[in-house]
Amino acid sequence: NAGVMQNPRHLVRRRGQEARLRCSPMKGHSHVYWYRQLPEEGLKFMVYLQKENIIDESGMPKERFSAEFPKEGPSILRIQQVVRGDSAAYFCASSPGQGLGYTEAFFGQGTRLTVV
Amino acid sequence: QKEVEQDPGPLSVPEGAIVSLNCTYSNSAFQYFMWYRQYSRKGPELLMYTYSSGNKEDGRFTAQVDKSSKYISLFIRDSQPSDSATYLCAIPMDSNYQLIWGAGTKLIIKP
């Protein structure tokens, strides 16, 4: 089991471009969570998805940000028209059931987005 | 006031020392408390998950909760250079997937 795979590991975008972050959960996990980590700050919840459903997107900015977890393929976090303030590490986690309190819940290594 | 406060460090101690890492929180309704370890350029990994007050031990790690003081601690015995990492406390909100995180304490164990 390869663990939670995120790609790319590093992404550089110019202001106004789109950023697309991918997360492949662990095999057998159907629950995916996205978190954002700003420098010197703790992680902040963004969105919780199950296959083909957004369960809770209360932590995601209303504009420019969207997330999906299709029936086939990885979960995608999309940021349109990026701004410098979007520069952060974006982490994805997956679990076999709802919640992050499982020993079987794991985080990926993150995608570090830099907006120039 | 932040809901979870954590000293960012860095905390530097010699190998073999007992390490004490701490967080304070503001909401007395919190019941579950988690400690994560994050190596540089990696994702967080769950170390300990405790409920309510008291101690929980796992090998060299002990998590302690003092609800009267709203204070949680992680102790590491016989610290090793491989324990050098950032340690983050996290507290689930009403749901068990929306975690409130401390900013993390960077720990350095000197050989």
Side-chain angles (χ1 to χ4, degrees), chain A residues 9 35 56 100-101 109 112, chain B residues 41-42 96-99:
Chain A
R9 292 290 309 279
Y35 275 79
D56 184 346
L100 288 168
Q109 296 194 59
R112 277 152 187 85
Chain B
R41 302 296 182 182
K42 302 288 187 184
N96 58 4
Y97 55 83
Q98 277 207 42
L99 307 183

Side-chain angles (χ1 to χ4, degrees), chain A residues 9-10 33 35 37 40-43 45 48 56 58 91 98-103 107-109 112, chain B residues 2 8 34 36 38 40-46 49 88 95-104:
Chain A
R9 292 290 309 279
H10 301 276
Y33 319 84
Y35 275 79
Q37 186 175 35
E40 309 301 324
E41 293 189 21
L43 283 77
F45 168 78
Y48 163 38
D56 184 346
S58 59
F91 289 97
Q98 179 179 306
L100 288 168
Y102 296 90
T103 53
F107 280 82
Q109 296 194 59
R112 277 152 187 85
Chain B
K2 289 185 179 179
M34 305 160 85
Y36 283 81
Q38 186 176 20
S40 181
R41 302 296 182 182
K42 302 288 187 184
E45 55 176 321
L46 181 64
Y49 187 0
L88 304 103
S95 67
N96 58 4
Y97 55 83
Q98 277 207 42
L99 307 183
I100 307 171
W101 296 75

